């Protein structure tokens, strides 16, 4: 079973989605979270997603239950030892991820691969926290994972060709398209997307337009399927701020300065959809 077993560490928005996509592809998934309440929440989200697919005729009766049964929640990190590959999806905090990589390095089999779903933190640095930097790699899924086609594959300085090929193959097996990029802050996706979102927030901060107007301009004028502020609410404003901080600090240019309004929203606990309030309210209607 070990060969077909992967693990996901962190059962939040992304971890639950990654576990769902992997189980959908027929893999057994160990899903680890440090909070006991994470699993019931993740299971509810996964079940909702799979039920929707069944209603749309993309799954048959009984398939959602079979897929969920491939996901095994665990609460002790040591229980991930059976996995040939771990995808880390804990919050975007450098020290937290470094420490998790260090601990996993001591638990996993020598040939196992350590992948991170980080949005912006250096894969080279995470790899350096382990004794196996050639087996460390970025596997950056997009939100919502079951629906989005891209996996940005990030090679650290030491990442081997074999590790890269194994992760590309896994992404394809999960029905995704892997795109390889180099290890620089924000990679490609967030280096381009986050300044766009940040600038949209500046437009609101400076009174240029309301959130609705900013989003309408980008939707109707640029054909974006979703406005940048609605997207920011979906990603999580806390996550957006964390990524802007990394871009600002590591690329060192003022153009990456997080908007004060973004800081204020996060300080107020308005993280977007997950707290039911961000640039929009989510109590049924916006
Ligand atoms: P989240 O806050 O929804 O989930 C994080 C989970 O990690 C929580 O369930 C939490 O209990 C758990 N956790 C915290 N510390 C832990 C530990 N030490 N060990 C195990 N579990 C722990 O966060 P998210 O939005 O799923 O983001 C996770 C990662 O994915 C981040 O690195 C983020 O940058 C990245 N990412 C997020 C998005 C997005 O749109 N939200 C998109 C792509 C990548």
């Amino acid at each position: 079973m070990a060969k077909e077993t992967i693990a996901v560490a962190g059962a939040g928005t992304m971890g639950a989605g990654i576990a769902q996509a992997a189980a959908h592809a027929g893999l057994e998934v160990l899903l680890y979270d440090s909070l006991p309440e994470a699993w019931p929440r993740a299971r509810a989200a996964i079940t909702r997603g799979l039920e929707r697919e069944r209603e749309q005729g993309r799954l048959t009766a009984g398939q959602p239950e079979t897929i969920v049964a491939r996901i095994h929640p665990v609460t002790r990190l040591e229980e991930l030892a059976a996995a040939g590959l771990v995808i880390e999806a804990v919050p975007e905090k450098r020290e937290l991820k470094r420490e998790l990589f260090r601990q996993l390095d001591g638990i996993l089999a020598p040939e196992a691969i350590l992948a991170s779903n980080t949005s912006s933190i250096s894969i080279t640095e995470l790899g350096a926290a382990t004794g196996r930097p050639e087996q460390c790699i970025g596997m950056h899924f997009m939100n919502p994972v079951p629906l989005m086609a891209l996996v940005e594959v990030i090679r650290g300085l030491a990442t081997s060709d074999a590790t890269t090929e194994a992760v590309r193959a896994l992404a394809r097996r999960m029905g995704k398209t892997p795109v390889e990029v180099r290890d620089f802050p924000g990679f490609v996706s967030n280096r381009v997307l986050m300044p766009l979102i940040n600038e949209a927030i500046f437009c609101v901060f400076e009174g240029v337009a309301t959130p609705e107007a900013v989003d309408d301009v980008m939707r109707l004028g640029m054909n974006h399927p979703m406005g940048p502020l609605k997207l920011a609410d979906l990603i999580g404003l806390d996550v957006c701020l964390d990524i802007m901080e990394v871009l600002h600090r590591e690329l060192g240019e003022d153009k990456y300065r997080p908007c004060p309004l973004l800081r204020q929203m996060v300080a107020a606990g308005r993280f977007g959809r997950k707290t039911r309030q961000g640039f929009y309210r989510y109590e049924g209607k916006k």
Side-chain angles (χ1 to χ4, degrees):
M1 165 160 147
K3 203 165 124 246
E4 293 292 288
T5 300
I6 71 158
V8 178
T13 310
M14 295 303 289
I18 296 166
Q20 179 182 329
H24 201 312
L27 292 155
E28 297 293 323
V29 183
L30 301 169
L31 181 56
Y32 165 73
D33 201 285
S34 51
L35 286 183
E37 61 267 32
W39 168 239
R41 213 172 38 217
R43 184 180 50 202
I46 293 167
T47 304
R48 260 196 318 276
L50 293 170
E51 278 304 322
R52 235 186 341 261
E53 286 193 54
R54 191 188 55 73
E55 282 158 21
Q56 291 162 355
R58 288 187 283 134
L59 290 177
T60 57
Q63 266 188 316
E65 292 79 0
T66 308
I67 293 170
V68 173
R70 291 194 194 112
I71 304 174
H72 313 282
V74 300
T75 51
R76 288 175 44 249
L77 199 61
E78 293 70 27
E79 293 177 84
L80 303 190
L85 179 144
V86 178
I87 304 171
E88 163 286 304
V90 300
E92 190 74 351
K93 304 288 178 204
R94 180 183 307 267
E95 274 319 309
L96 182 63
K97 288 188 192 284
R98 277 181 61 95
E99 179 55 17
L100 189 60
F101 262 52
R102 196 190 61 73
Q103 290 180 352
L104 284 168
D105 187 36
I107 291 168
L108 299 177
E111 65 279 10
I113 291 175
L114 261 165
S116 174
N117 185 52
T118 178
S119 305
S120 59
I121 295 168
S122 162
I123 299 302
T124 304
E125 188 184 332
L126 294 180
T130 74
R132 61 178 89 196
E134 65 291 345
Q135 288 153 246
C136 293
I137 193 160
M139 211 178 169
H140 184 209
F141 290 83
M142 304 292 125
N143 185 14
V145 179
L147 302 182
M148 301 297 281
L150 175 68
V151 174
E152 208 177 18
V153 173
I154 303 112
R155 287 184 78 130
L157 201 60
T159 309
S160 70
D161 290 345
T163 299
T164 307
E165 199 30 64
V167 157
R168 291 178 69 104
L170 174 64
R172 284 192 290 266
R173 176 161 179 191
M174 289 169 72
K176 311 293 181 198
T177 303
V179 176
E180 211 173 300
V181 309
R182 290 176 61 200
D183 185 22
F184 281 92
F187 319 128
V188 171
S189 53
N190 282 314
R191 186 164 173 170
V192 175
L193 175 64
M194 286 300 153
L196 170 73
I197 286 175
N198 198 46
E199 203 57 36
I201 300 172
F202 266 112
C203 287
V204 176
F205 179 60
E206 292 173 6
V208 178
T210 62
E212 288 83 354
V214 171
D215 279 352
D216 284 347
V217 167
M218 299 306 289
R219 262 186 334 102
L220 304 175
M222 318 297 160
N223 255 2
H224 288 200
M226 187 186 277
L229 297 171
K230 201 158 193 198
L231 179 58
D233 275 2
L234 178 70
I235 293 168
L237 299 184
D238 52 336
V239 176
C240 293
L241 179 58
D242 286 341
I243 299 170
M244 282 309 295
E245 302 267 32
V246 170
L247 292 176
H248 192 215
R249 190 175 54 244
E250 295 188 8
L251 294 168
E253 292 192 47
D254 277 353
K255 67 179 179 178
Y256 300 113
R257 178 172 69 99
C259 178
L261 178 58
L262 175 60
R263 288 191 189 285
Q264 195 177 35
M265 303 273 288
V266 172
R270 295 182 185 181
F271 296 169
R273 267 180 199 271
K274 61 183 157 188
T275 59
R276 300 197 162 273
Q277 191 171 3
F279 287 100
Y280 298 92
R281 284 180 179 275
Y282 299 91
E283 267 115 12
K285 283 173 36 191
K286 79 176 181 185

